[in-house]
Amino acid sequence: MKQTKRKQLETKGWKIGTAADFLGLTPEEAFIEMKMSLSRSLKEMRQRKHLSQTAFAKLIKSSQSRVAKMETGSASVSIDLLIKSLLALGASQKDLAKAIRSKSKVA
Amino acid sequence: MKQTKRKQLETKGWKIGTAADFLGLTPEEAFIEMKMSLSRSLKEMRQRKHLSQTAFAKLIKSSQSRVAKMETGSASVSIDLLIKSLLALGASQKDLAKAIRSKSKVA
DNA sequence: TGACAATATGTCACATCTGGCATATTATTT
DNA sequence: AAATAATATGCCAGATGTGACATATTGTCA
């Protein structure tokens, strides 16, 4: 739905589906977006610390392959793991909140 | 971390290391805090919509017992499930970001 | 180019999470 | 108080996520 139309409806007292789909995202899509966002944040933080995937994997007692999967947004990675990893890198809850909100670039 | 709070968490199935507690949140504790925060948000949103746990469970194709576990902060619930549930209730990523940052009160 | 480090992908046994059911506990209504 | 609704807790089989390993691909530098 277009922004303009939504605004018109809202000023007329309509309450349209909330939120998650404000930008046209279904809950599932929003969920995926969030994962991708966390993925990117993780990669950025790791690189900023000059850690290889292997070194980081050791740090969080995981494996290089799983770190790679985290950073490429593989479906086999849970948000739990992403968040635990980010926290291990020193991310604050504030950082995570920010990461969750940042959108992915569509090109 | 307060003794009373620790006890409550333990009865929910959480296992917390006993090591350095007073010096702020360990990543593990921060992780638990986040979950508790999401739990509270979920309960609030559901109640605001006047849905029983049973009705909400049907909505997200889960069970009343799991919804109860989500809201009581059981350790057997993943952040993935909490977030999916919140999104299903219409939470925006902004809402989630907010939820993640707010501290949980156990007392 | 070749050698080497970093990252990506596939597979799998094992661990954790999930839904559903039964049942217990707590609130609400009559 | 009894009946009823709502919520909580325990359990378990099946689903999903995990670490680890092998191997492939990509990147970098001599």
Side-chain angles (χ1 to χ4, degrees):
Chain A
M1 175 180 292
K2 291 273 171 53
Q3 288 283 17
T4 51
K5 175 154 193 188
R6 171 180 297 276
K7 259 204 172 140
Q8 288 181 350
L9 288 173
E10 279 174 350
T11 57
K12 293 193 183 284
W14 283 105
K15 229 179 187 173
I16 316 172
T18 2
D21 47 85
F22 195 72
L23 297 172
L25 297 181
T26 64
E28 302 84 61
E29 286 169 344
F31 182 79
I32 294 174
E33 282 265 341
M34 281 184 45
K35 263 197 183 179
M36 299 306 260
S37 240
L38 292 169
S39 283
R40 280 192 305 278
S41 298
L42 181 66
K43 184 167 195 169
E44 281 169 17
M45 279 196 81
R46 175 183 62 77
Q47 289 178 330
R48 194 170 304 134
K49 299 207 169 193
H50 304 290
L51 289 170
S52 67
Q53 290 184 343
T54 304
F56 177 53
K58 205 165 293 179
L59 190 67
I60 61 173
K61 285 159 189 157
S62 180
S63 58
Q64 179 271 324
S65 63
R66 187 135 300 271
V67 172
K69 278 158 193 160
M70 289 189 222
E71 295 184 351
T72 54
S74 162
S76 80
V77 174
S78 72
I79 286 194
D80 292 63
L81 184 60
L82 286 168
I83 289 182
K84 281 178 187 169
S85 302
L86 280 160
L87 290 173
L89 273 178
S92 64
Q93 291 177 245
K94 185 174 178 178
D95 293 331
L96 294 179
K98 200 170 192 174
I100 281 180
R101 297 183 58 178
S102 66
K103 297 290 186 296
S104 59
K105 296 228 162 141
V106 183
Chain B
M1 173 176 291
K2 294 261 174 59
Q3 197 60 263
T4 51
K5 185 166 183 179
R6 171 182 300 279
K7 247 192 181 157
Q8 295 199 15
L9 286 173
E10 281 172 350
T11 63
K12 306 255 181 224
W14 290 103
K15 263 180 290 182
I16 315 174
T18 53
D21 305 354
F22 335 98
L23 306 177
L25 265 44
T26 64
E28 191 184 0
E29 286 171 344
F31 182 79
I32 295 175
E33 287 274 354
M34 281 184 45
K35 267 198 182 179
M36 299 303 249
S37 246
L38 293 169
S39 282
R40 278 193 314 134
S41 298
L42 181 66
K43 185 166 194 170
E44 281 169 14
M45 280 196 80
R46 176 183 62 77
Q47 288 179 330
R48 196 172 307 133
K49 299 206 169 194
H50 304 290
L51 289 170
S52 67
Q53 290 184 344
T54 303
F56 177 53
K58 207 165 289 177
L59 192 67
I60 62 174
K61 283 157 190 158
S62 180
S63 59
Q64 179 270 324
S65 62
R66 186 133 300 272
V67 173
K69 278 158 193 160
M70 289 189 223
E71 294 183 349
T72 54
S74 163
S76 79
V77 174
S78 72
I79 287 196
D80 290 63
L81 185 61
L82 285 168
I83 289 183
K84 280 179 188 168
S85 301
L86 280 160
L87 290 173
L89 274 178
S92 66
Q93 290 175 246
K94 186 173 177 179
D95 293 331
L96 294 179
K98 202 171 194 173
I100 281 180
R101 296 185 57 180
S102 62
K103 295 282 189 293
S104 61
K105 264 216 174 89
V106 181

